[in-house]
Amino acid sequence: AKELAESYSEEMSNLSRFLDSVIGNIPASLIVRNPQSGEILLANPQAERLFGCSAQAMVGQHPQACLAAGIARYVEEQTEQGIRAKTGYLREQALETPLGL
């Protein structure tokens, strides 16, 4: 049982490192939120650059507490749309961010 648990733990650790690498290197900005509480659980480096806020400052916060008002509204709208959608959806919107439009 101990060997099986160690093997499972190593497998999960490898998977976690792989997912961290994918999330960190994906070219899109990514913010993951808890659908019940609304708190930000994760923000990748691209989201940090685009929104001008560190992941450390975003995690555990609601968008209104750590992002500019227009960006926070957009994140809220995207979250609500994602929760309601039965399938994927596509929406584009120009936002003013610290990097520009």
Side-chain angles (χ1 to χ4, degrees), residues 20-21 37 47 54 66 70 77:
D20 286 346
S21 176
S37 70
S54 73
C66 59
E77 290 168 7

Side-chain angles (χ1 to χ4, degrees), residues 41-71:
L41 302 173
L42 178 145
N44 71 351
Q46 291 74 1
E48 290 180 293
R49 282 192 291 278
L50 181 63
F51 300 138
C53 187
S54 73
Q56 189 175 25
M58 287 187 263
V59 171
Q61 301 294 319
H62 289 90
Q64 302 85 348
C66 59
L67 300 173
I71 295 169

Side-chain angles (χ1 to χ4, degrees), residues 18-99:
F18 171 73
L19 291 174
D20 286 346
S21 176
V22 169
I23 290 167
N25 291 297
I26 194 169
S29 295
L30 178 67
I31 291 179
V32 177
R33 295 179 65 200
N34 179 318
Q36 283 80 36
S37 70
E39 291 178 348
I40 295 171
L41 302 173
L42 178 145
N44 71 351
Q46 291 74 1
E48 290 180 293
R49 282 192 291 278
L50 181 63
F51 300 138
C53 187
S54 73
Q56 189 175 25
M58 287 187 263
V59 171
Q61 301 294 319
H62 289 90
Q64 302 85 348
C66 59
L67 300 173
I71 295 169
R73 270 192 307 280
Y74 177 76
V75 169
E76 289 288 348
E77 290 168 7
Q78 290 295 299
T79 300
E80 289 302 316
Q81 184 75 2
I83 289 171
R84 287 192 308 264
K86 299 286 188 232
T87 61
Y89 68 97
L90 177 63
R91 177 173 177 229
E92 291 186 30
Q93 179 177 337
L95 291 173
E96 187 170 342
T97 72
L99 293 178

